[in-house]
Amino acid sequence: MKKTIAVSKGDGVGPEVVNEAIKLMKIIADYSEFEFEFQEAPVGGNVWKKYGTNLPEKSFEIIKNSDALLFGAAGLPDLPPGVAESVILKIRQELDLYINLRPIKLFDNLRDRCPLKEEFIGEGIDIAFIRENTEGLYANKGAVLNNDQAENLMVYTRKGCERIIKYAFEYAKRFKHEKVTSVDKANLLSPSKLWRQIFHEIGDEYPTLLKEDIYVDAFCQWLIRAPYKFQTVVTGNLFGDIISDEGAFLIGSLGMASSGNIHPGKVSMYEPIHGSAPDIAGKEIANPIGAILSVKLMMQESFESISIAQEIENSVEEALLFGRTVDIKKEGINTLNTSQMGDLIIQKIKENLKK
Ligand code: NAI
Ligand code: MG
């Protein structure tokens, strides 16, 4: 099965972590029926400096014609905020990537890196955050009207709510979850009222799944008080951005968290949650696991290969017993640089795919 992968490494640690993800994909190709052709599609801050745009037409052509996009990070400290980063919003909007899937799983052997006390970790953390990715405050251009006033409009549509909520229920069914939690602010915001109504309309089509509504402010405390209570969590664009970052830190490091910007059946984009990390860029110490687990999501969501996806995750978990990057370092376990961490995971996946 031949797949063309557009690769946008981006800025800062982006290239460092994406290179490890590509190394892993080449091994997957060696051990499976998949064949990957990689095509570079440069975007972001460095590209902006050269061409005056963060998304050159040629790059976007490559992305549009690929089977999936592997993305690093965009952002440079010497550029004004947004100049590089807006490429992400552009790609989401242009490709209508309405699902932002951000799974947060605390590996058992990383419990020591979780900032929560054992009693709060409880049975463990394994949550799929499903965030609406095209509507709400972030989709609306808004403006600073004058020195005293600025505005953005929060618009939710039935179509926008229905498709993301439906995906969430299907996801819960696919991964045998028992409950879907919806996070909103229906006590104050009109778009949340429509959201909640649609959540229950669609939820009624899934009688075997439990449904739960939680206000976003309360959810923020439940997420650190009893994260083991949650499985599939679906929410709008703004709340999803914030609560999934809160969640990302619970698994030990921002460098561990992966994401997919997805439109089922179309070109989707997979990227680690973290940014370009200018404070560690060029030092070869970035954790590549967020990028590698983004390949897991690509295999699972775009290429429907659940078994390879699972082997990627297993290999990461096993590798953590033998070596770790500095952000998750532990006494008695080797501290590795970025490419050594990638190599260790590759060694594990070779063993696992051979079986
Ligand atoms: P950041 O995620 O780049 O870094 C936050 C902290 O996490 C830093 O201390 C960094 O060293 C650490 N960190 C990040 N990735 C890591 C990794 N793989 N391994 C180990 N440690 C890691 O967020 P920050 O500093 O707020 O943003 C830096 C730039 O990235 C900004 O220009 C920002 O706008 C951009 N950004 C881009 C994103 C994207 O491309 N999707 C997402 C978030 C931020
Ligand atoms: Mg964010």
Side-chain angles (χ1 to χ4, degrees), residues 92 100 102 131 138 240-242 244-245 273:
R92 284 177 186 163
N100 194 335
R102 294 178 161 209
R131 158 188 171 193
Y138 294 177
D241 186 21
I242 299 166
S244 62
D245 265 29
I273 282 186

Side-chain angles (χ1 to χ4, degrees), residues 55 107 340:
L55 181 59
F107 292 121
Q340 289 168 330

Side-chain angles (χ1 to χ4, degrees), residues 71 73-75 85 88 254-255 271 273-280 286-287 327:
F71 189 94
E85 296 89 335
I88 300 160
L254 203 50
E271 55 163 343
I273 282 186
H274 63 77
S276 56
D279 54 335
I280 58 167
N287 187 338
D327 54 315

Side-chain angles (χ1 to χ4, degrees), residues 324-344:
R324 296 181 182 186
T325 43
V326 65
D327 54 315
I328 49 171
K329 72 171 181 209
K330 187 183 183 184
E331 233 186 323
I333 294 181
N334 289 333
T335 301
L336 306 178
N337 67 25
T338 306
S339 65
Q340 289 168 330
M341 189 73 234
D343 289 341
L344 182 58

Side-chain angles (χ1 to χ4, degrees), residues 144-155:
V144 179
L145 300 178
N146 54 50
N147 232 353
D148 301 310
Q149 203 177 327
E151 63 181 31
N152 276 90
L153 194 63
M154 188 187 239
V155 180

